[in-house]
Amino acid sequence: MMDKHYDPKAVEAKWYPWWESHGCFHDEPAQGGKPYAVVIPPPNVTGVLHMGHALNNTIQDILVRWHRMCGDNVCWVPGTDHAGIATQNVVEKELRKEGVRRQEIGREAFVDRVWQWREKYGATIVRQQRLLGNSTDWQRERFTMDEGLSAAVAKVFCDLYDKKLIYRGNYIVNWCPRCGTALADDEVDHEPNNGYLWHVRYPVVGEEGEYVTVATTRPETLPGDTAVAVNPKDERYAHLKGKKVLLPLTGREIPVVFDDYVEKEFGTGVVKITPAHDANDFAVGQRHDLPQVDVMNNDGTMNALSGYEGMDRFECRKAIVADLEKGGYLVKVEPYQNQVGHCYRCKTMVDSRLSKQWFVKMKPLAQPAIEAVRKGEVTIQPKRWESVYFNWMENIRDWCISRQIWWGHRIPVYTCTCGHEWATPTAPDCCPVCKASKDAITQDPDVLDTWFSSWLWPFSTLGWPKKTAELDFYYPTVDMVTGADILFFWVARMMMAGYEFMGKAPFKNIVLHGIVRTADGKKMSKSHPETLLDPLDIIQQYSADALRFSLALITSMEVDTKVDMKKFEIGRNFGTKLWNAARFLQMNAEKLEGFSFADYAGEGLTLDASLLHDDDRHLLLKADHVCATMQETFNKYRIQDGALAIYDFAWTDFCDWYLEYAKADLNADDEARRRQVMALLADVYGKILRLLHPYMPFVTEEIWHQLGYCGDDASIMRAPYPQGYSEEQKVAWGLSEEVLAYVETKRDFITGARALRAESGLAPALNIKALIHPASTDVAEKLLRDEASIRTAIRAESITFINEAPATAMPSKLLQAGTLYLPLEGLVDTKAEAEKLDKEIAKLEGFLKGINAKLSNEAFVSKAPEAIIQNQRDRKVELEAQIASLQARRAAL
């Protein structure tokens, strides 16, 4: 017999190891069938499970388990990302605790320390994914720095290098002084900044008393100015052609250049040009052959060229402003709001700096990926993200792929003392040109951007560049489920890599979801611990099934998800409801000799139509509908709609209505009817478990085994996903929309009668004498046929059908079946009840009077916070509704 209470901790601890040991997550290409492959967005090796992972992994696992139950050959590849900057930062912090810097132990020893850290701590998030219930194929787990993926990275770099799609050059990059490395554009988070505009005079050389005024948000870069620019069509400055201005504080003369980049209407129409510290200025400098003066060091301090050597950049800003003011160059300072870039890892404000870096030419790679989406070869869900994708891809900039750190894939470019440079996947023994030994050869010290390995993930994890059975069978993958926030970081680049190296898209569907936010819409952030919800805490308190199902139920793919701890009670309570229903079924099945749930684990239900009642047919129809709905929602990636559909059917139609209805038949003497009802219950409940398994794998597996739907070595995850009933079955059983409509009408009658009892203040134990003025003769005949079950449901001594409204006033309710009347004679003391209602009405009217007085008081309405005013308005509506309800009851008395 099943335990009285469901213990999710014990159940979840039991089933995950069982699934792994029985190979439930693993398929082989040799098995054939329809392939369904998915690669998990690899979490950082430094990471721990957060709500974003929980949502993303839950959506993927729901789809994976559904496809597995549909009979597809499933491959869900797990793995982790080496997370170059993040992991290096973690290990450097560990070293600092020992009083050591990485430069002191050297590159090789430091990399060894990172590998040691990874072996010790890198599996944390993998263990946590198991707690969530991920049915990933752990036999295929990959790491972006493992031998196979490293070989893929090296080959891709060398191929692109040889095609001249990878190049090295001096360009403006986003530089993080804290991490000491360049960042790609999409590794920079832009945040609102309340800054200032400093307006500075630049004297015109040779023109006494004449100057131009420029405005800047970064006065610390002023020593790097190599020109000022004006628009060639701006007549105000036409006389400055060929002139120079004096760079304040330096005594250096710099030219006035004329360039269309300058907007005449912006500010004074004159801008400072600092080619080494601004991307637009760099382009102007290229056009006018201007020198590039870098005035900063890698750590964010100023260098000797600045005149403020060794000073921090922000301290230098203050010093330069003070010197400008002292020298009479500062015209004015005004507040200015702008967006300032910050490192996505350490949140340090980044600088635009001239630096020699490695880049990938992206435009040639982007075109096939653009066309694939435009032609519908790859879909993006939700569709509104297509325009965002096109906009980014059509305006794509070259990708800075070099990083000045030690942890990661080292750039496979080698230089010989003879001057020859080449790329090769493996360390060379000699120079291919002059044949000098490896002692004369040096490798580029930089490593590749972490995303350079991640963009190969869909095919490198399947064995590429080797030709493997997995690559041949499972590529391209089917669904790429990920957060919309990494559409450009990762998804778009995977598209480009897929076409470049495999000749086809890496997946057929891009499925994007929003981020998880707090209940009041705030973004969850480590820098604000009060905003964080730990999924492991939710699993501990409620269960993994509760976390998964609740997330699915409250998550629309169209918008971000707002959560608080209370919302996870939904999933917990649903699991308890399912468990109690299973215990009820088990208890009643034991009363029937030879009854086995295993007979109802598939689709072959047989029923005696002569023993079927309309409520049976209603349940069968609703079960058929929910099977079709679930298939449709999964096909359209409407995970939330599927959760709502199965939740409503299981909780309302099955548990709340049919189980209650079936109790009388299960306790009756008619064994044929009892067996038929039990067969129907077993079949429909088996469908519920299978429909729900992708959402709640643990509780459904436990109940599937507890009731005996399968043998000890079988799993529900390999049971067929329900398809509903055949047309032959539906015709034979008399399933029709008319039956569905009638039972809905009957339920409306029962619900209305229960509500009327409660509104009339009747104790639950009292038996009523109900009167019904039916809406039609047909409804009356059907209700009369079901009178016994209806009387039981509403605790009625009798139900009398009448042709017109009673002459005496009494509580009533208009329902689909007609008008229900409730005589109170002998059930309540009408005089005492009337007095009680009068007092309650008077009390509420007093409250309402006070609120109306507040809302009509101009002083209150003008001064009180809007939230308080709205609260009072809401309370007024609530009180008015309560008073109207009580007055109706009073009138009926």
Side-chain angles (χ1 to χ4, degrees), residues 588 591-592 662-675 677:
N588 282 279
K591 299 175 186 176
L592 297 172
K663 284 177 181 177
D665 286 321
L666 292 172
N667 291 318
D669 295 330
D670 186 344
E671 183 165 342
R673 173 67 182 157
R674 284 165 57 205
R675 285 189 176 275
V677 169

Side-chain angles (χ1 to χ4, degrees), residues 23-34:
C24 293
F25 306 154
H26 184 74
D27 284 341
E28 285 287 345
Q31 295 169 216
K34 180 182 176 183

